[in-house]
Structure formats: C-alpha cells, structure tokens
Amino acid sequence: MSKRVLTTESGAPVADNQNSASAGIGGPLLLQDQHLLEKLARFNRERIPERVVHARGSGAYGYFEVTDDVTGFTHADFLNTVGRRTEVFLRFSTVADSLGGADAVRDPRGFAVKFYTEQGNYDLVGNNTPVFFIKDPIKFPDFIHSQKRDPFTGRQEPDNVWDFWAHSPEATHQVTWLMGDRGIPASYRHMNGYGSHTYQWTNAAGEAFFVKYHFKTNQGVRSLSSDQAAELAGKNPNSHQTDLLQAIERGVNPSWTLHVQLMPAADAAEYRFNPFDVTKVWPHRDYPLQRVGRLVLDRNPDNVFAEVEQAAFSPNNFVPGIGPSTDKMLQGRLFAYADAHRYRLGVNHTLLAVNAPKATTARNYGRDGLMASNSTAQGRAAKNYEPNSYDGPAETGRALSAPLAVTGYTGTHEAPQHTKDDDFYQAGELYRLMSPEERSRLVANIAGGLAQVSRDDVIERNLAHFHGADPEYGRRVEEAVHALRED
C-alpha cells in the first residue's frame, strides 16, 4: 500500500523533507524554499501565551449521570431526569507554577468541569479546596504576584508569599487547608473538587436557592507528605498527568459523586456567616450534603495541546436554572476568565472543538476576528445584526436564573458582616477537627515556610493570625518557627 503524500499547508506535495534548498551544494539557503520557511515559521508559533494561573493542567472526557431528583431546586435541563447522562470535559491543574512545573507540589488544584448540555455549555470552575485566600477580586492580581516568581530573583520568594498573607488575615482559613494533610494530593484521582463559590439554582416555580458544589472522590482521598512530594516531583514531574492518563487507558475510570448544599434564598441575610464569602464554608450541620449524581472520566484527549491547553472555561457560561450569586470573587471571575481566553486563544476560541457546544448549536451574531471561519458565518446570507427580518436567532425573554436583590449606594464597600464573620473562627474550627498527628504536620509545614521569611514583623503578623484562630495553634507554630530560626 502506497504511503500518503506529505504536503505543505497549502496542500502541495513535498519533494524533500530532509534537505533544505540551497544555492548549489554547500551554498547558502534560498528564500524561495517555501517548505523550509513554512516549517520554521509554524514552529516559532507553536506556543501560545500560557495561563497566568492554572498553567499546568491535565484533562479527560467523560459523563455526568443524574442519580437523584433535584427538580425541586433547579429547572436546569441536564439535571431534570434521574439516569440522564451529559458529556463532560474536566481539567485539573496546579495554580501558581508555570507550564513546566512539577505536579506534586503544595498548591491548590483547579477542578474545572465543562458540561456539554442541550441548552449550551455549563462551566463549573472550582478547586480542590472549598475556600480561597481572598474574598475580593481587586486583590487577586496582587495575590498571584506574591505567589509567582519574583521579578528580580526569578524564583518564588517566602518573603513575598508570607508578606501578602501577613496583610490578608482572611487567608488564614485557606492557608490552614493548604498547609494541612490535603495540601498535596497523591493524584488528581484521589482528591475532592469543589465549586468553592456560592451559585444560584432556580426551580420551575421561580424559587431561588443558593448552592455550593462538592465532588467527592470515589477513589478515596490520598495525599503526600512534603518529603514524599519532593522525592516524587524530582523523579517524575509529570506524576499526576501520567497517573490520570494511564488509569483511563487501563479502563480504571475515576469517578466523583456530586453533592450540593442548598440554602433557601431567604436564609442568606440572617445566616451567621456571610454565605457569599469564599473564605468561609457552610457547616454541614446547617446545610447537609444532598446527592445529585456521578461524574465519570473514561476517555483521554487525543491531543493535549488542542484539548487541554486550549480548553477554555468561564464561570459566566450558565444554563437556564443556574446563575451567579453576589459572591465578590465570583463576580470578578465572571469577567476575568473569558477575557483571559480571548487574549490567549482569540475571540473565536469557542469554536475550538473542546470548547464548542456538542449537544446543541451556538447561534449568535458574532462575526470575523482572528481565526474566523465559515463556522462563524451562520449561513451564506445570514445577517450579522439583531433584530432583523430574516428569521435570524432571537431572544427568548426568559431569564436563566432569578434576579438578585440590590440596595444602597454605589461605592467601594467591605463585605457585609454577619454574626460569626471574622477571619479566624473557621480556621480555628478546621484546626480543632484535626487529629494530633495532623496538627503536628500542619504546624511543621507552616513553620518550614514561615521560618524562611527575613523580616521579623512579617513573621509576627502571621503568627497573630494563627493565635487568633486557636491559642494552641498559634503557640505551636510560634514555637516551631523560633526553633527553626535558632538552628
């Protein structure tokens, strides 16, 4: 059987792919060698701007199956029938490091799910922790700058990391999570995922509920100690990527059970914690977990760049029955994520296969732009404006979710205070839930980083946060830091 012919990008056959055209044997190369110039030019452009955060990622396809009736809380079509399956793509990631970083590091993990529903794509962008470091998006660029490589030294600096946390007491809860036993997952399969933010569900009667998502791993939670992670990262920087790929290739398909916490909208104003503060959780005794369904990953991407690197998730991709809350960090991300993808991938990134709807067709009046194709034309003579008299797609007049009540004056405001709202209470609750062994490892992990800080005032600020969370917690961290600095 004859081989298929190698061609240029314009389809012309390539005569020689081993030798460049030259002016005589051993002479200079020719500008007219279109195949050489095309290969070099394409090679120069193989990389796109990497994500500022969540740069290093892995992903897989699968499905979400509804196991429990939740129609009393949301009229989202893909959740309306027990047994119904919806195709999904899930991207895991680390947060702070670059695309070339190691998998086994102490860092939150991204847990982003794209549901390809019949009413459009629904993106749920979360992490493997139920809380976050800050509560207002205006602090996000500064937070990430403090965690990334220093512009002078070119490395992550403990001074920067802990100095930002010293001035951000609201980070104490997430720092306690990150420095605890679950701070370094053994693999992507062995960690939970959380929506983290508060979202809104609306049922068919128009009743609104605030909701938090919890994906509980069915493989069991497994984590690495700092020493185990350091050894693994050195031996196999791609440990989590390899584990996920090989598990699915063997047919050992990882799965998670989705539970939600549901709060009637009327409860929010008087709840003891601000329910829209992403540095806080809702204790399960207040709002118990309710099972929704099962998420299964069963197919690896064919091309990591095309499908994982170019996967674009945005929390403003909602479907009818699901919407946002007034969570400040979520509100900021509604803009920032989509804007990042327009910068990295172009305005037509939603046409890429991994991002395009699969169970329905996108119909709108977006045209042209970088990488425009016939798929943006919506038909040969389709108009690019609305309203029109040519049977173009039209609005439904039906809101995706219930309206959010607003009141007061515009301006820069701190989040409203609820009865139990402080920056340390829940961090202390988390510490007190830990076993003696877990507390010891937490203290050692915090002290190992904090002891590297060069300024005493920064250390003291951070110690005050741990004292505020729990007296024993603060005392033990303080003693451990002082012991390390005296050595």
Side-chain angles (χ1 to χ4, degrees):
M1 188 174 78
S2 60
K3 292 184 177 180
R4 292 181 297 168
V5 173
L6 175 69
T7 74
T8 64
E9 292 184 30
S10 61
V14 173
D16 190 340
N17 193 43
Q18 314 304 317
N19 301 286
S20 302
S22 62
I25 298 175
L29 303 187
L30 300 176
L31 188 63
Q32 71 185 41
D33 189 344
Q34 184 238 0
H35 183 49
L36 169 65
L37 300 187
E38 184 177 83
K39 286 185 72 175
L40 293 179
R42 169 165 280 278
F43 180 74
N44 284 343
R45 293 163 174 80
E46 280 184 357
R47 298 296 176 262
I48 60 177
E50 86 171 30
R51 288 170 167 88
V52 178
V53 289
H54 298 278
R56 181 170 182 80
S58 302
Y61 293 94
Y63 62 87
F64 177 78
E65 181 178 8
V66 179
T67 59
D68 294 77
D69 183 8
V70 292
T71 54
F73 306 104
T74 176
H75 65 90
D77 185 65
F78 77 104
L79 298 175
N80 70 2
T81 305
V82 171
R84 184 168 187 170
R85 289 187 176 185
T86 299
E87 185 178 357
V88 301
F89 181 78
L90 199 162
R91 185 178 187 270
F92 306 97
S93 56
T94 54
V95 175
D97 214 341
S98 63
L99 187 60
D103 289 336
V105 293
R106 189 172 296 279
D107 198 17
R109 300 299 190 277
F111 193 99
V113 188
K114 188 180 294 290
F115 298 84
Y116 299 102
T117 89
E118 293 182 9
Q119 295 182 306
N121 290 352
Y122 171 45
D123 289 352
L124 181 58
V125 181
N127 286 325
N128 71 327
T129 60
V131 292
F132 196 61
F133 297 95
I134 54 176
K135 63 181 75 174
D136 194 303
I138 204 165
K139 297 183 69 170
F140 188 75
D142 299 293
F143 165 61
I144 294 301
H145 287 167
S146 75
Q147 310 296 302
K148 301 284 275 188
R149 296 176 186 271
D150 182 88
F152 174 66
T153 66
R155 65 180 189 180
Q156 190 181 50
E157 290 290 349
D159 275 358
N160 300 354
V161 170
W162 289 97
D163 186 38
F164 182 88
W165 288 342
H167 291 86
S168 304
E170 70 270 26
T172 307
H173 193 185
Q174 173 74 322
V175 170
T176 304
W177 267 89
L178 179 62
M179 297 299 173
D181 279 0
R182 296 192 180 189
I184 314 177
S187 79
Y188 290 131
R189 297 183 296 128
H190 294 97
M191 68 180 195
N192 294 334
Y194 302 88
S196 301
H197 296 291
T198 299
Y199 295 90
Q200 185 204 72
W201 278 7
T202 310
N203 65 18
E207 297 173 302
F209 300 84
F210 293 117
V211 60
K212 282 187 175 290
Y213 295 87
H214 302 250
F215 291 87
K216 300 291 188 178
T217 175
N218 294 324
Q219 292 69 238
V221 173
R222 298 181 190 172
S223 304
L224 302 173
S225 68
S226 296
D227 290 341
Q228 289 172 326
E231 181 178 357
L232 181 59
K235 289 181 177 179
N236 181 11
N238 305 301
S239 57
H240 289 28
Q241 162 68 16
T242 301
D243 175 85
L244 181 66
L245 174 75
Q246 293 181 347
I248 295 175
E249 289 297 293
R250 296 195 311 268
V252 181
N253 297 328
S255 66
W256 289 258
T257 299
L258 172 61
H259 298 81
V260 294
Q261 290 177 284
L262 291 161
M263 173 188 292
D267 289 6
E270 300 301 324
Y271 187 48
R272 56 194 175 121
F273 304 109
N274 180 351
F276 312 117
D277 179 350
V278 74
T279 69
K280 305 287 195 304
V281 298
W282 303 351
H284 293 181
R285 64 180 176 271
D286 295 343
Y287 297 97
L289 295 179
Q290 301 187 44
R291 193 177 66 176
V292 179
R294 185 170 65 113
L295 187 153
V296 179
L297 299 181
D298 59 8
R299 178 165 67 88
N300 283 310
D302 294 325
N303 184 294
V304 172
F305 176 81
E307 297 166 89
V308 179
E309 181 64 12
Q310 294 194 123
F313 299 83
S314 178
N316 63 5
N317 287 340
F318 293 113
V319 293
I322 304 177
S325 75
T326 56
D327 179 333
K328 281 189 171 185
M329 278 299 298
L330 172 60
Q331 291 281 321
R333 284 173 165 152
L334 296 180
F335 162 76
Y337 276 63
D339 187 59
H341 303 316
R342 294 185 191 104
Y343 162 67
R344 293 182 61 248
L345 304 171
V347 71
N348 288 307
H349 67 274
T350 55
L351 302 179
L352 296 169
V354 69
N355 299 322
K358 297 183 183 295
T360 187
T361 301
R363 302 179 186 89
N364 54 62
Y365 295 93
R367 298 290 186 273
D368 306 333
L370 187 68
M371 297 299 290
S373 66
N374 285 341
S375 58
T376 65
Q378 309 285 345
R380 183 176 179 186
K383 303 302 179 184
N384 64 343
Y385 58 89
E386 197 278 334
N388 63 61
S389 304
Y390 296 86
D391 198 30
E395 63 196 27
T396 67
R398 297 188 299 271
L400 298 185
S401 57
L404 298 170
V406 296
T407 185
Y409 297 93
T410 60
T412 56
H413 304 290
E414 292 186 2
Q417 290 292 304
H418 291 235
T419 57
K420 283 287 187 181
D421 271 343
D422 66 58
D423 295 321
F424 310 119
Y425 176 82
Q426 289 199 352
E429 290 283 89
L430 179 58
Y431 177 80
R432 289 183 287 274
L433 282 174
M434 296 180 180
S435 69
E437 293 78 14
E438 289 174 317
R439 293 182 188 184
S440 294
R441 290 188 291 268
L442 168 67
V443 168
N445 291 334
I446 292 174
L450 191 52
Q452 298 178 53
V453 173
S454 62
R455 291 183 50 159
D456 290 342
D457 61 323
V458 172
I459 293 175
E460 293 303 320
R461 276 179 176 265
N462 279 285
L463 291 176
H465 298 169
F466 301 122
H467 280 289
D470 183 275
E472 178 193 293
Y473 187 9
R475 175 182 57 78
R476 294 185 63 180
V477 172
E478 183 171 2
E479 290 173 352
V481 168
H482 289 166
L484 289 172
R485 289 172 67 82
E486 289 172 359
D487 288 345

